[in-house]
Amino acid sequence: MLTLYHGATSVCSQKARLSLAEIGLEYEGHLLDLMTGDQFDPDYLKLNPNAVVPTLVDDGTVVIESSLILEYLDETYNAGKLMPRDPELKAKTKLWLLRCLAIHGAINSLSFATVLRARQMAGKTPEQLEAMLRQMPNPISREKRRDLLENGVDSLHVEAALREMRSALADMAAMLAQYHWVSGPDYGLADIALLAYIDRLDRLAMSGLWEDEFPEVADWLERSKMRDSYKTAIASFVDPSAAEKMYQTAVTFWPAIARTWSDIRNGS
Ligand SMILES: N[C@@H](CCC(=O)N[C@@H](CS)C(=O)NCC(=O)O)C(=O)O
């Protein structure tokens, strides 16, 4: 039996759920509340010592890292049909899966510098916040989170994130100028891996990052959202009124994000 430990709106969990939905697999879900710290539960840490979601357990086999979960499910239950056969497209798809580590870092920075900052700090005393930060096992991630909570959109991690996304969006647009999907002619693992990240940016009112310059990405996002897997894995886990509230908060950060984006675009 497949068991998924996941977060309702966590991007990496959305990736895992998208692949489960694309392949048509049933699973037992355990939802963790990342804002209150379920990921630090000692029993969960035995499964995922990084204190993050998602974690897939397949009859006792534990698989962590969302991109590896996508590949694992496709290879184990789908005869690898979501991985292109063509060697060049296969290498490109594998590169996207690898790049997801950096892309995830960028999305994490942009989320915590804006809407998640207030959410994580809400109702916590400085001591409680510090206690939460201390629970993060990786000191680099911990210090990054501290910086984002302290400095918000002025954190240097925001500029680094926007540079990462600029390169990713340009490369996605280049693939989409040639093929129907980022994976190639057929929908595949690269599309699944990227959808949750681009959807998050859209929900953070940051579609201005691609609308003028990379319209192929806007078109791809619309087409991806029409797939049943999007409804099952992403939309059905989102509370529309919470999403609207998040968008209205996010919009207030756009001018600052747009300024940094424009500096990067102009080569400064
Ligand atoms: N590279 C990991 C990243 C996992 C990750 O950072 N997950 C986030 C949610 S998208 C998380 O669990 N965060 C917990 C926290 O921020 O404390 C993967 O792709 O699975």
Side-chain angles (χ1 to χ4, degrees):
M1 197 212 3
L2 292 169
T3 306
L4 185 73
Y5 293 82
H6 58 142
T9 56
S10 119
V11 279
C12 298
S13 304
Q14 292 171 337
K15 274 168 74 177
R17 293 197 302 260
L18 276 171
S19 61
L20 287 159
E22 283 288 341
I23 300 171
L25 294 168
E26 297 287 329
Y27 65 97
E28 184 182 299
H30 289 278
L31 274 177
L32 276 70
D33 184 340
L34 302 178
M35 290 297 140
T36 56
D38 286 352
Q39 66 275 37
F40 304 117
D41 181 279
D43 283 336
Y44 183 67
L45 287 173
K46 286 184 201 147
L47 294 175
N48 192 326
N50 300 331
V52 292
V53 287
T55 300
L56 179 79
V57 183
D58 181 7
D59 229 354
T61 299
V62 180
V63 189
I64 61 169
E65 283 299 329
S66 54
S67 294
L68 297 183
I69 292 174
L70 306 192
E71 257 193 299
Y72 175 86
L73 290 173
D74 186 45
E75 279 174 9
T76 313
Y77 293 103
N78 196 38
K81 284 188 278 208
L82 289 166
M83 178 65 87
R85 290 275 175 267
D86 173 80
E88 187 188 345
L89 293 176
K90 186 172 183 170
K92 285 192 163 138
T93 291
K94 289 195 169 201
L95 184 58
W96 279 115
L97 295 180
L98 207 57
R99 282 177 81 175
C100 276
L101 284 175
I103 293 171
H104 175 81
I107 300 301
N108 172 281
S109 299
L110 294 171
S111 303
F112 276 96
T114 58
V115 295
L116 295 188
R117 182 175 183 233
R119 212 182 286 176
Q120 185 146 74
M121 291 163 92
K124 292 196 186 78
T125 63
E127 293 72 28
Q128 285 169 327
L129 205 56
E130 184 55 39
M132 181 137 186
L133 286 169
R134 269 204 308 268
Q135 282 182 292
M136 291 177 75
N138 181 322
I140 296 180
S141 308
R142 186 190 317 138
E143 291 317 306
K144 173 184 159 184
R145 178 69 54 83
R146 188 192 303 284
D147 190 68
L148 287 164
L149 294 181
E150 279 174 11
N151 298 309
V153 287
D154 294 326
S155 165
L156 207 56
H157 291 288
V158 168
E159 184 190 329
L162 290 175
R163 287 188 186 278
E164 186 65 45
M165 286 320 300
R166 187 163 179 77
S167 141
L169 290 167
D171 291 345
M172 284 178 74
M175 280 305 281
L176 291 165
Q178 225 184 324
Y179 300 103
H180 197 56
W181 297 108
V182 182
S183 304
D186 302 313
Y187 191 81
L189 289 183
D191 301 280
I192 294 176
L194 290 163
L195 177 56
Y197 297 125
I198 304 302
D199 183 63
R200 167 63 64 83
L201 291 179
D202 196 34
R203 290 175 185 274
L204 287 176
M206 294 186 196
S207 58
L209 302 184
W210 59 82
E211 263 162 4
D212 300 346
E213 212 183 345
F214 308 116
E216 300 85 351
V217 175
D219 177 62
W220 168 86
L221 179 60
E222 282 320 303
R223 286 187 284 115
S224 302
K225 285 170 72 169
M226 282 157 65
R227 298 178 74 84
D228 286 345
S229 59
Y230 177 85
K231 291 179 202 83
T232 313
I234 299 187
S236 70
F237 283 85
V238 174
D239 166 7
S241 70
E244 178 55 25
K245 207 167 138 205
M246 173 168 126
Y247 189 85
Q248 292 310 330
T249 307
V251 162
T252 64
F253 296 105
W254 173 247
I257 297 290
R259 263 193 308 279
T260 308
W261 185 252
S262 152
D263 289 347
I264 296 171
R265 193 170 169 176
N266 296 330
S268 47

